């Protein structure tokens, strides 16, 4: 029987590419987004484009109901929708930080809470949560964003124990930097609207300059790489829980596996403040 996947944040970037990948692989796809008019992928009778705002519980519940009504069930949910934040913590309003956590942590929790009863009725299902390499190696000027992705990663791992008895698996996909325009445009816009105190300017300039260093071609993951990794997580038969994608993610994970002193030396070379 054809499997059904629901993907959040399918209007752009990794979510759109992921929805397209599952469609190409023959799945029923519920491509969800805040504004369904933003779907720019192909049409298909295996596609339902559905409104879903991860910050709005009623819209999450309605989207899960629409998915099961249209396709008769739901096998996989992909929590892809997310909000970036690049700013100095001291200057960042608490409301912005709460928006990041509401989108990146409580949003996935809302969808999982809505999907679990469906999975239970069906005898199983899968949750794929898109976190970030910044959950493993926190980046400067992304303290709140990294904290939100680390929270989602930790939540995923602990939840997996609880739901294993329901035959539900929880997978984490951890991309590093991916050149998706939407994420960086939105993040940059927010950065410009959160001016930092002057004392931080040399630090900020240094961090921005670090972005200009070009790694070897193929080092960073592409949208296609991430979409293929989400599909691999959704169909995995090995029991692996964390899927890292991108040279930077793999290097960071390797650095993190060293002793604490070695890891500190590595990150201080990489991100030294002054
Ligand atoms: N790009 C990277 O380097 C990178 C690296 C690691 C992890 N990630 C993660 O990958 C995921 C996708 O990012 P991306 O690079 O594809 O960025 P993107 O193009 O900006 O996509 C983010 C998506 O999230 C959606 N979204 C934001 N708030 C939402 C809400 N309240 N309800 C529903 N959807 C919402 C956006 O929809 P709207 O169109 O409605 O705004 C958009 O479709 C995010 O979780 C991000 O943290 C990205």
């Amino acid at each position: 029987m054809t499997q059904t996947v629901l993907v959040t944040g399918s209007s752009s970037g990794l979510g759109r590419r992921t929805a397209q990948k599952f469609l190409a692989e023959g799945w029923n796809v519920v491509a969800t987004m805040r504004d369904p008019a933003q779907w720019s992928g192909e049409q298909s009778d295996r596609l339902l484009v559905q409104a879903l705002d991860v910050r709005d519980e009623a819209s999450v519940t309605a989207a899960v109901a629409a998915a099961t009504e249209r396709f008769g069930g739901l096998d996989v949910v992909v929590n892809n929708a997310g909000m970036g934040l690049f700013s100095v913590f001291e200057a960042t309003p608490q409301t912005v930080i709460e928006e990041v956590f509401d989108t990146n942590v409580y949003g996935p929790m809302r969808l999982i809470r809505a999907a679990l009863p469906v999975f239970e009725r069906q005898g199983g299902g899968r949750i794929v949560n898109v976190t970030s390499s910044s959950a493993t190696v926190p980046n400067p000027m992304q303290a709140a964003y990294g904290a939100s992705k680390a929270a989602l990663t930790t939540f995923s791992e602990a939840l997996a124990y609880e739901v294993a008895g329901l035959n539900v698996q929880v997978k984490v996909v951890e991309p590093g930097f991916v050149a998706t325009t939407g994420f960086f445009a939105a993040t940059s816009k927010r950065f410009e609207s959160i001016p930092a105190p002057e004392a931080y300017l040399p630090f900020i300039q240094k961090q921005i300059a670090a972005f200009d260093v070009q790694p070897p071609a193929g080092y960073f993951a592409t949208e296609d790489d991430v979409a293929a990794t989400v599909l691999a997580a959704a169909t995995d038969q090995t029991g692996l829980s964390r899927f890292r994608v991108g040279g930077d993610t793999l290097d960071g994970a390797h650095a993190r596996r060293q002793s604490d002193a070695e890891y500190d030396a590595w990150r201080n070379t990489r991100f030294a403040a002054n």
Side-chain angles (χ1 to χ4, degrees):
M1 195 171 137
T2 306
Q3 300 237 95
T4 301
V5 62
L6 183 154
V7 183
T8 64
S10 302
S11 62
S12 61
L14 305 180
R16 178 177 54 208
R17 195 57 59 92
T18 297
Q20 290 175 311
K21 177 78 181 170
F22 278 89
L23 258 187
E25 294 290 323
W27 289 57
N28 296 324
V29 174
V30 187
T32 73
M33 59 207 77
R34 284 188 282 197
D35 174 7
Q38 297 306 312
W39 174 250
S40 55
E42 51 276 48
Q43 298 298 327
S44 164
D45 57 5
R46 286 183 289 101
L47 173 72
L48 172 65
V49 177
Q50 172 69 36
L52 190 162
D53 179 340
V54 298
R55 301 184 65 197
D56 174 354
E57 189 161 337
S59 101
V60 173
T61 312
V64 169
T68 54
E69 193 182 319
R70 168 74 179 267
F71 295 119
L74 184 59
D75 301 288
V76 177
V77 291
V78 179
N79 279 302
N80 162 79
M83 179 184 159
L85 180 62
F86 187 74
S87 65
V88 163
F89 169 74
E90 185 186 342
T92 309
Q94 183 68 16
T95 49
V96 173
I97 292 173
E98 287 173 8
E99 197 186 330
V100 169
F101 273 77
D102 200 30
T103 306
N104 296 357
V105 185
Y106 305 140
M109 288 179 178
R110 288 184 188 100
L111 178 57
I112 291 166
R113 199 177 285 112
L116 279 174
V118 179
F119 291 164
E120 207 169 344
R121 277 199 303 277
Q122 288 181 184
R126 239 174 229 208
I127 297 159
V128 181
N129 292 333
V130 179
T131 67
S132 164
S133 58
S134 60
T136 298
V137 177
N139 293 309
M141 302 192 63
Q142 295 186 44
Y145 173 74
S148 75
K149 291 298 188 178
L152 182 58
T153 299
T154 300
F155 167 72
S156 304
E157 194 169 322
L159 178 72
Y161 300 116
E162 288 177 31
V163 298
L166 309 176
N167 194 28
V168 175
Q169 291 188 38
V170 186
K171 310 285 191 184
V172 163
V173 169
E174 201 177 290
F177 172 84
V178 190
T180 56
T181 48
F183 192 72
F184 295 100
T187 306
S188 311
K189 203 165 122 208
R190 225 165 277 122
F191 173 59
E192 283 157 17
S193 69
I194 306 175
E198 214 171 310
Y200 289 94
L201 295 185
F203 162 76
I204 292 171
Q205 275 155 10
K206 186 161 184 188
Q207 299 309 328
I208 289 174
F211 277 112
D212 290 334
V213 178
Q214 290 298 319
Y219 182 68
F220 293 133
T222 63
E223 290 184 1
D224 284 334
D225 295 333
V226 177
T229 306
V230 172
L231 180 70
T235 54
D236 171 66
Q237 297 298 322
T238 70
L240 188 68
S241 63
R242 194 180 295 207
F243 293 71
R244 303 184 200 266
V245 51
D248 50 344
T249 307
L250 296 174
D251 283 350
H254 174 73
R256 193 93 228 194
R257 281 187 211 109
Q258 303 174 105
S259 70
D260 287 340
E262 286 167 321
Y263 172 68
D264 276 347
W266 177 83
R267 73 186 180 91
N268 284 329
T269 309
R270 199 177 157 94
F271 299 131
N274 294 303

